[in-house]
Amino acid sequence: MRGCGSGSAKAAFLPTNARFYQTGFMNPDDIFMLRALELARQAAAAGEVPVGAVLVRHNEIAGEGWNCPIAMNDPTAHAEIRALRAAAGRERNYRLPGATLYVTLEPCVMCAGAIVAARVERLVFAARDIRFGGVRSLFRLADSALQNHQVKVEEGLRAAEAAELLREFFKERR
Protein backbone atom coordinates (compact mmCIF):
# COMPACT_ATOMS: atom_id res chain seq x y z
CA MET A 1 0.00 0.00 0.00
CA ARG A 2 3.01 2.26 -0.51
CA GLY A 3 1.93 5.82 -1.28
CA CYS A 4 -1.79 5.17 -0.90
CA GLY A 5 -2.50 6.57 2.54
CA SER A 6 -5.22 5.34 4.82
CA GLY A 7 -8.30 6.96 3.29
CA SER A 8 -8.79 8.86 6.53
CA ALA A 9 -10.72 12.07 6.69
CA LYS A 10 -7.85 14.19 7.98
CA ALA A 11 -6.91 17.19 5.87
CA ALA A 12 -3.96 19.13 7.24
CA PHE A 13 -4.72 22.36 5.40
CA LEU A 14 -8.46 22.73 5.89
CA PRO A 15 -11.11 22.05 8.51
CA THR A 16 -13.40 19.17 7.55
CA ASN A 17 -16.57 20.91 8.67
CA ALA A 18 -18.45 22.71 5.89
CA ARG A 19 -20.09 25.14 8.32
CA PHE A 20 -16.65 26.73 8.77
CA TYR A 21 -16.80 27.89 5.15
CA GLN A 22 -20.31 29.26 5.07
CA THR A 23 -19.03 32.76 5.70
CA GLY A 24 -19.52 33.91 2.11
CA PHE A 25 -15.87 33.61 1.08
CA MET A 26 -15.95 30.13 -0.43
CA ASN A 27 -18.66 27.71 -1.36
CA PRO A 28 -18.35 24.34 0.45
CA ASP A 29 -18.51 22.59 -2.94
CA ASP A 30 -15.34 24.44 -3.97
CA ILE A 31 -13.58 23.56 -0.74
CA PHE A 32 -14.35 19.86 -1.01
CA MET A 33 -13.44 19.73 -4.70
CA LEU A 34 -10.15 21.46 -3.87
CA ARG A 35 -9.48 18.69 -1.38
CA ALA A 36 -10.29 16.09 -4.05
CA LEU A 37 -7.82 17.82 -6.39
CA GLU A 38 -5.16 17.68 -3.67
CA LEU A 39 -5.79 13.96 -3.31
CA ALA A 40 -5.51 13.58 -7.09
CA ARG A 41 -2.10 15.27 -6.91
CA GLN A 42 -1.08 12.74 -4.27
CA ALA A 43 -2.10 9.95 -6.65
CA ALA A 44 0.00 11.48 -9.42
CA ALA A 45 2.99 11.79 -7.09
CA ALA A 46 2.63 8.07 -6.34
CA GLY A 47 2.55 7.25 -10.06
CA GLU A 48 -1.19 6.55 -10.13
CA VAL A 49 -3.75 8.15 -12.45
CA PRO A 50 -4.59 11.45 -10.70
CA VAL A 51 -8.13 11.03 -9.44
CA GLY A 52 -9.25 12.10 -5.97
CA ALA A 53 -12.56 11.70 -4.17
CA VAL A 54 -14.07 13.17 -1.01
CA LEU A 55 -17.32 11.94 0.53
CA VAL A 56 -19.12 14.47 2.72
CA ARG A 57 -21.91 13.56 5.09
CA HIS A 58 -23.50 15.80 7.74
CA ASN A 59 -21.27 18.65 6.48
CA GLU A 60 -18.06 16.77 7.33
CA ILE A 61 -15.60 14.68 5.37
CA ALA A 62 -16.58 11.10 6.13
CA GLY A 63 -14.13 9.45 3.72
CA GLU A 64 -11.62 10.27 1.05
CA GLY A 65 -9.28 8.50 -1.31
CA TRP A 66 -7.20 8.64 -4.42
CA ASN A 67 -6.52 6.11 -7.15
CA CYS A 68 -4.29 3.25 -5.97
CA PRO A 69 -4.86 0.16 -8.12
CA ILE A 70 -1.17 -0.21 -9.01
CA ALA A 71 0.25 0.16 -5.50
CA MET A 72 -2.49 -1.98 -3.94
CA ASN A 73 -2.58 -4.60 -6.73
CA ASP A 74 -6.33 -4.08 -6.68
CA PRO A 75 -8.32 -3.18 -9.80
CA THR A 76 -11.13 -1.83 -7.59
CA ALA A 77 -8.92 0.66 -5.71
CA HIS A 78 -10.38 3.68 -7.47
CA ALA A 79 -10.64 6.97 -5.59
CA GLU A 80 -14.43 6.71 -5.33
CA ILE A 81 -14.40 3.17 -3.97
CA ARG A 82 -11.75 4.07 -1.39
CA ALA A 83 -13.76 7.12 -0.26
CA LEU A 84 -16.96 5.06 -0.05
CA ARG A 85 -15.22 2.32 1.96
CA ALA A 86 -13.68 4.82 4.36
CA ALA A 87 -17.03 6.57 4.89
CA ALA A 88 -18.97 3.32 5.30
CA GLY A 89 -16.43 2.16 7.87
CA ARG A 90 -16.63 5.45 9.75
CA GLU A 91 -20.43 5.49 9.65
CA ARG A 92 -20.69 1.73 10.30
CA ASN A 93 -23.22 1.49 7.52
CA TYR A 94 -22.91 0.43 3.89
CA ARG A 95 -25.55 2.99 2.96
CA LEU A 96 -24.67 6.66 3.02
CA PRO A 97 -27.93 8.61 2.58
CA GLY A 98 -27.59 12.37 2.48
CA ALA A 99 -23.94 12.13 1.35
CA THR A 100 -22.26 14.10 -1.42
CA LEU A 101 -19.32 12.61 -3.28
CA TYR A 102 -16.85 15.01 -4.92
CA VAL A 103 -14.65 13.43 -7.61
CA THR A 104 -12.11 14.99 -9.95
CA LEU A 105 -13.05 12.69 -12.86
CA GLU A 106 -16.36 11.26 -13.98
CA PRO A 107 -16.81 7.86 -12.29
CA CYS A 108 -16.48 4.66 -14.31
CA VAL A 109 -19.26 2.07 -14.51
CA MET A 110 -17.95 0.15 -11.45
CA CYS A 111 -17.79 3.28 -9.33
CA ALA A 112 -21.16 4.56 -10.56
CA GLY A 113 -22.72 1.26 -9.47
CA ALA A 114 -21.11 1.50 -6.04
CA ILE A 115 -22.31 5.10 -5.64
CA VAL A 116 -25.89 4.01 -6.39
CA ALA A 117 -25.61 0.96 -4.11
CA ALA A 118 -24.39 3.19 -1.25
CA ARG A 119 -27.41 5.46 -1.77
CA VAL A 120 -25.23 8.58 -2.14
CA GLU A 121 -27.57 11.52 -2.59
CA ARG A 122 -25.41 13.77 -4.76
CA LEU A 123 -22.39 13.37 -7.02
CA VAL A 124 -20.26 16.36 -8.02
CA PHE A 125 -17.54 15.60 -10.56
CA ALA A 126 -15.07 17.89 -12.28
CA ALA A 127 -14.02 16.54 -15.69
CA ARG A 128 -15.77 14.11 -18.01
CA ASP A 129 -14.12 10.81 -18.88
CA ILE A 130 -14.96 10.34 -22.55
CA ARG A 131 -13.38 6.86 -22.65
CA PHE A 132 -14.76 5.23 -19.51
CA GLY A 133 -17.34 7.57 -17.97
CA GLY A 134 -20.33 5.77 -16.52
CA VAL A 135 -22.31 8.79 -15.38
CA ARG A 136 -22.55 11.07 -18.43
CA SER A 137 -20.05 10.33 -21.20
CA LEU A 138 -20.86 6.70 -22.09
CA PHE A 139 -23.72 5.81 -19.77
CA ARG A 140 -26.07 7.53 -17.35
CA LEU A 141 -26.03 4.96 -14.58
CA ALA A 142 -26.14 7.19 -11.51
CA ASP A 143 -29.47 8.87 -12.23
CA SER A 144 -31.11 6.27 -14.47
CA ALA A 145 -34.83 5.81 -13.87
CA LEU A 146 -34.17 2.07 -14.25
CA GLN A 147 -32.29 2.04 -10.93
CA ASN A 148 -33.93 1.79 -7.52
CA HIS A 149 -32.02 4.92 -6.44
CA GLN A 150 -31.15 8.01 -8.45
CA VAL A 151 -28.17 10.18 -7.59
CA LYS A 152 -28.32 13.92 -8.26
CA VAL A 153 -25.43 14.59 -10.64
CA GLU A 154 -23.59 17.88 -11.09
CA GLU A 155 -20.60 18.22 -13.36
CA GLY A 156 -17.97 20.77 -14.30
CA LEU A 157 -16.84 22.16 -10.94
CA ARG A 158 -13.12 22.90 -11.43
CA ALA A 159 -13.16 20.82 -14.61
CA ALA A 160 -10.34 22.74 -16.28
CA GLU A 161 -8.04 22.21 -13.30
CA ALA A 162 -8.83 18.49 -13.12
CA ALA A 163 -8.43 18.02 -16.88
CA GLU A 164 -5.08 19.81 -16.84
CA LEU A 165 -3.83 17.59 -14.02
CA LEU A 166 -4.73 14.51 -16.10
CA ARG A 167 -3.21 16.00 -19.27
CA GLU A 168 0.08 16.72 -17.52
CA PHE A 169 0.19 13.27 -15.93
CA PHE A 170 -0.22 11.47 -19.25
CA LYS A 171 2.03 13.91 -21.12
CA GLU A 172 4.89 12.97 -18.77
CA ARG A 173 4.34 9.28 -19.54
CA ARG A 174 4.35 9.53 -23.33
Side-chain angles (χ1 to χ4, degrees):
M1 225 163 72
R2 189 186 108 254
C4 283
S6 66
S8 72
K10 300 297 178 200
F13 68 96
L14 61 97
T16 60
N17 188 318
R19 286 183 282 269
F20 175 85
Y21 300 102
Q22 293 173 344
T23 60
F25 294 108
M26 258 187 131
N27 179 323
D29 285 349
D30 280 320
I31 292 297
F32 294 125
M33 187 60 80
L34 284 170
R35 177 61 183 156
L37 285 162
E38 177 58 31
L39 294 167
R41 287 184 193 91
Q42 290 179 34
E48 303 275 2
V49 175
V51 179
V54 174
L55 189 132
V56 175
R57 192 157 184 247
H58 306 301
N59 293 315
E60 292 184 357
I61 294 176
E64 59 184 26
W66 63 87
N67 268 9
C68 270
I70 298 167
M72 295 180 77
N73 298 308
D74 179 358
T76 69
H78 291 195
E80 301 94 326
I81 299 295
R82 296 186 74 227
L84 287 167
R85 286 178 178 160
R90 177 181 178 216
E91 300 289 323
R92 296 177 183 253
N93 194 341
Y94 72 103
R95 293 211 171 137
L96 302 164
T100 297
L101 182 64
Y102 299 88
V103 190
T104 59
L105 183 65
E106 178 183 1
C108 70
V109 171
M110 174 187 69
C111 293
I115 292 164
V116 170
R119 305 297 194 270
V120 170
E121 181 176 321
R122 183 170 162 247
L123 169 67
V124 180
F125 72 88
R128 280 196 177 200
D129 185 346
I130 59 170
R131 292 182 64 210
F132 302 109
V135 176
R136 287 290 180 263
S137 297
L138 297 178
F139 304 100
R140 296 182 74 92
L141 296 177
D143 58 357
S144 170
L146 299 174
Q147 302 271 21
N148 62 346
H149 173 74
Q150 289 80 42
V151 179
K152 294 175 194 155
V153 178
E154 296 174 29
E155 66 174 291
L157 180 63
R158 300 195 170 272
E161 193 174 344
E164 182 60 24
L165 186 59
L166 286 158
R167 240 185 320 279
E168 285 299 313
F169 177 82
F170 287 112
K171 181 180 169 184
E172 290 173 10
R173 276 141 188 82
R174 289 188 180 115

